[in-house]
Amino acid sequence: MKYSQEQVTELKRKAIQVRANILEMIPPGKVGHLGGSSSIADVMAALYFHTMTVNPSDPKDPKRDRLIMSKGHAVLVQYACLVELGYFGREELAKVKTFKGMLQGHPDMDKTPGIEAVTGSLGQGLSIALGLALGFRLDKLPNRVYAILGDGELAEGQIWEAIMAAHGFKANNLTAIVDFNGIQATSTTKEIFPIENLAQKWGSFGWNVIEIDGHDMVQVLDALEAAKAFTEGPSVILAHTVKGKCFPFAEGKAKYHNAAMTEEEYKIAWSCIENMKREVEA
Amino acid sequence: MRTSDSLRKTYGETLVELGKENKAIVMLEADLGNSTMSALFGAAYPERYFQMGIAEQNMASVAAGLSLAGKVPFINSFAVFATGRAYDQIRSSVAIANLNVKICGSSAGLSDFGDGKTHQSIDDIALMQVLPNMTVLSPCDAVETEKMTKAMVESKGPVYLRINRNDLPVVTDPNAEYHIGKMTEMVKGKDVVVFATGIMVQQSMEAAKILEKEGISLRVVNVSTIKPLDVKALEGYCEGVKGVVTAEEHSIFGGLGSAVCAVLSKKRLPIEVLGVNDSFGTSAENYSILLKHYGLESEDVAKKVRSVLAAN
């Protein structure tokens, strides 16, 4: 085990703070991708505050691992992590998606320190991550690459091109993480574009498949370690999650894929944050 | 200096030559390596050659990732697939991010004569030049192809290179300096100027000879960089002429003609745009049949020149 109980608790605190930062970016009336940002918040906290090699004081440090947010619409959760690490000041949070802000509606590597690619047109991030992984391997570098995918995004054909290619190249420095929340912009993934048997699908395409509860910090950490330890090819973590996790009014609802909260919902959301803080310290 | 008339072979050989010193160069191919000639690089440096299979979209975004890892990736396919099949990947993964990815669209225009309309590109210049950050290059012979390929490696940012499948006579000066963004006067003339690209440079040079016999003096300018267009030079070459013709093996919409018209829209000069007239291609037993059918011969250039003169 490469982490202590105290580290797990600290990561849980971070995950709460990440969700708080998300709330800070989308006050009542401001539209934002709350659902898909909070579903992957625990995995993102584990990656940024534990698993990945990062250097906030030098965002272009060649030694850093890379995280490609293929489900770019959920970039709020990435901003929430980056601000916590000090990639930019907290004053930027209020300016998200504004003309004068550096935090764009979708990931933009030119505008935002810590963002590693341009994503948002769905289906492209796994390929970009594979290119990085192949580049690092060519230079015999130890850097690892992580791609965060949405389950709805798996309808994009390019994802499956990348899945086949990554297996073909045996890209063992690449880990894909599917935010398997079962809900996309307008309805359930099951209803819109069924993608059953994901574990069998990825497995039959030659990937090392790890299936976890994406809100259980210990499972998340173990999965990330297992992916690192697997050297024969790429690994995918199918993280079962709840869209809008921790905010009861939004949990499991397609409406909060991209919506504005009401004043009342916003108050509830903050009280959820306070409750979680108390629970984690209990 | 290369004596070969093959643009694509020259492209492949030049990258083999450059790849010897420059280890950052990597090649990606979508299973057409024996046509695009990227296979030459694969034979020389197998570890830096990525066979991506028939999956152009993935290939374009993987190239973006390789570029982010510090490599100079060249992606290769036929022009239709390199640009059209992977358009959004080039737009989003590559061009918005302004990444150092080089795209080689081989068998461009009608040059893949036998394969027909699905394989002939009349829209690739349009697709690439509309993208901010993108440079668009269109060589007219092997000598220019070699210089361009070298310049592409030196340049930063995304570049699209459009290559003819067929051997073409060398018309550019092997000793002349080459810079991306510069246009070259191939034939001096004063009555009309033709701005041509690719094979239409040779056709326009022939047209100049035809017109000379009629007492018409045609200036021929090789616009091998379609974007960024050298506006100052373009306007300079228009000084004193009575009309302008553009000539390209591409749709009359969205290509060199459109770009030139946008620059010259305020000038009171008659302009004729010569290209493929809003039509897809077709199969033929040789290239010449298609050039004749689509009105891309020297006589077609000459007709356009007479037409702009008649408009005076």
Side-chain angles (χ1 to χ4, degrees):
Chain A
M1 198 152 77
K2 295 194 171 178
Y3 50 86
S4 64
Q5 188 51 50
E6 181 45 40
Q7 280 176 305
V8 173
T9 306
E10 182 55 24
L11 286 171
K12 286 181 181 172
R13 288 188 194 109
K14 289 288 187 195
I16 296 167
Q17 187 57 44
V18 165
R19 288 191 171 90
N21 292 347
I22 293 169
L23 290 183
E24 204 173 320
M25 283 182 266
I26 43 171
K30 185 161 179 171
V31 172
H33 290 87
L34 176 68
S37 294
S38 36
S39 58
I40 198 68
D42 301 296
V43 171
M44 292 290 281
L47 280 166
Y48 269 110
F49 304 105
H50 182 81
T51 303
M52 288 204 302
T53 300
V54 293
N55 183 0
S57 62
D58 179 8
K60 296 286 177 198
D61 186 342
K63 291 197 180 71
R64 74 198 190 277
D65 290 333
R66 310 293 172 93
L67 186 144
I68 305 298
M69 198 72 187
S70 192
K71 49 171 283 185
H73 53 275
V75 69
L76 292 185
V77 68
Q78 195 173 12
Y79 296 154
C81 294
L82 293 173
V83 73
E84 212 51 36
L85 287 163
Y87 281 85
F88 43 81
R90 294 198 72 83
E91 70 282 358
E92 289 297 329
L93 297 184
K95 292 189 278 177
V96 70
K97 297 204 287 182
T98 63
F99 189 65
K100 290 189 174 170
M102 64 158 68
L103 307 182
Q104 299 284 294
H106 285 85
D108 184 337
M109 58 181 283
D110 289 332
K111 298 241 179 185
T112 316
I115 297 292
E116 303 285 6
V118 169
T119 52
S121 177
L122 292 172
Q124 301 186 22
L126 186 59
S127 305
I128 297 172
L130 173 60
L132 275 159
L134 294 175
F136 292 145
R137 190 169 70 183
L138 209 49
D139 291 337
K140 300 184 170 55
L141 295 171
N143 308 53
R144 294 194 62 82
V145 189
Y146 297 88
I148 309 291
L149 314 176
D151 51 356
E153 184 185 11
L154 301 183
E156 292 280 7
Q158 185 187 351
I159 292 281
W160 299 91
E161 293 182 1
I163 290 173
M164 288 185 279
H167 163 63
F169 288 114
K170 297 192 177 2
N172 60 8
N173 50 353
L174 171 65
T175 303
I177 299 158
V178 178
D179 183 4
F180 200 174
N181 61 36
I183 293 170
Q184 47 194 105
T186 57
S187 185
T188 60
T189 301
K190 206 174 255 178
E191 191 176 284
I192 290 177
F193 197 85
I195 46 159
E196 301 98 349
N197 308 321
L198 270 191
Q200 289 96 317
K201 280 191 174 109
W202 285 79
S204 70
F205 278 66
W207 283 57
N208 176 39
V209 181
I210 305 163
E211 206 160 4
I212 58 160
D213 174 349
H215 300 305
D216 181 321
M217 192 54 80
V218 169
Q219 286 190 36
V220 171
L221 291 171
D222 286 345
L224 291 169
E225 283 306 321
K228 254 191 198 181
F230 186 78
T231 55
E232 288 164 45
S235 294
V236 59
I237 298 170
L238 299 177
H240 289 269
T241 56
V242 175
K243 194 138 178 166
K245 177 70 178 176
C246 296
F247 307 115
F249 58 88
E251 281 191 2
K253 295 203 180 109
K255 183 188 162 192
Y256 292 89
H257 173 81
N258 188 23
M261 282 175 275
T262 62
E263 294 280 355
E264 197 188 341
E265 285 168 341
Y266 199 60
K267 264 185 215 159
I268 295 169
W270 277 111
S271 69
C272 294
I273 297 284
E274 294 311 317
N275 287 342
M276 285 190 287
K277 280 184 181 171
R278 274 194 294 275
E279 277 168 28
V280 83
E281 303 307 336
Chain B
M1 184 52 71
R2 225 157 282 282
T3 52
S4 162
D5 292 343
S6 168
L7 284 72
R8 55 188 172 132
K9 194 157 170 253
T10 300
Y11 163 76
E13 288 171 353
T14 305
L15 279 168
V16 170
E17 186 188 320
L18 296 171
K20 202 171 183 179
E21 295 293 319
N22 189 339
K23 307 282 189 219
I25 299 172
V26 296
M27 291 278 258
L28 297 87
E29 175 58 63
D31 198 23
L32 290 168
N34 294 334
S35 295
T36 65
M37 294 295 172
S38 75
L40 297 173
F41 192 92
Y45 317 109
E47 73 288 356
R48 282 187 276 147
Y49 188 66
F50 296 97
Q51 177 54 263
M52 303 307 295
I54 309 162
E56 296 81 4
Q57 301 171 46
N58 180 54
M59 175 167 72
S61 296
V62 166
L66 281 160
S67 158
L68 288 167
K71 303 298 169 194
V72 184
F74 278 71
I75 61 181
N76 299 272
S77 185
F78 285 2
V80 271
F81 310 127
T83 62
R85 189 59 183 257
Y87 178 73
D88 186 48
Q89 286 71 20
I90 292 172
R91 179 184 190 275
S92 183
S93 297
V94 175
I96 293 179
N98 199 15
L99 296 180
N100 198 24
V101 172
K102 315 304 180 187
I103 303 152
C104 178
S106 210
S107 291
L110 306 164
S111 66
D112 184 14
F113 50 84
D115 280 332
K117 58 188 76 172
T118 52
H119 285 55
Q120 294 161 352
S121 66
I122 44 89
D123 50 352
D124 56 312
I125 296 175
L127 286 172
M128 292 297 102
Q129 79 164 338
V130 76
L131 293 172
N133 295 329
M134 186 66 72
T135 293
V136 179
L137 305 179
S138 165
C140 70
D141 65 15
V143 166
E144 198 169 42
T145 302
E146 179 181 344
K147 293 177 186 173
M148 267 181 187
T149 307
K150 288 178 175 166
M152 281 170 87
V153 172
E154 295 302 314
S155 73
K156 291 276 173 254
V159 181
Y160 175 60
L161 174 71
R162 171 182 223 249
I163 289 189
N164 196 301
R165 184 182 180 88
N166 302 310
D167 292 3
L168 299 177
V170 171
V171 291
T172 60
D173 177 4
N175 300 314
E177 256 189 58
Y178 175 81
H179 297 284
I180 288 174
K182 295 289 171 209
M183 51 181 76
T184 318
E185 189 175 35
M186 306 296 292
V187 178
K188 290 190 190 306
K190 59 181 175 42
D191 296 330
V192 172
V193 58
V194 55
F195 294 106
T197 195
I199 189 179
M200 295 313 292
V201 173
Q202 281 90 333
Q203 308 292 57
S204 300
M205 291 169 78
E206 286 301 312
K209 288 180 196 164
I210 297 169
L211 293 163
E212 195 180 7
K213 290 172 194 155
E214 300 168 21
I216 299 168
S217 167
L218 179 65
R219 171 182 287 158
V220 178
V221 178
N222 172 17
V223 187
S224 57
T225 300
I226 293 168
K227 190 185 178 187
L229 199 58
D230 186 345
V231 172
K232 210 174 155 192
L234 185 82
E235 288 176 338
Y237 285 126
C238 291
E239 272 172 28
V241 299
K242 299 188 188 80
V244 177
V245 173
T246 67
E248 65 202 295
E249 186 193 8
H250 181 273
S251 171
I252 54 170
F253 300 123
L256 173 63
S258 296
V260 169
C261 286
V263 173
L264 299 179
S265 59
K266 284 183 187 163
K267 303 261 179 201
R268 293 165 185 271
L269 272 173
I271 306 178
E272 283 275 9
V273 174
L274 176 61
V276 176
N277 196 8
D278 198 22
S279 162
F280 288 112
T282 189
S283 285
E285 49 274 55
N286 62 51
Y287 191 28
S288 306
I289 293 171
L290 294 180
L291 294 175
K292 185 179 175 64
H293 177 74
Y294 289 99
L296 301 172
E297 294 186 306
S298 52
E299 180 51 34
D300 299 299
V301 178
K303 273 185 205 159
K304 292 286 188 194
V305 172
R306 294 183 200 111
S307 164
V308 292
L309 280 174
N312 274 268

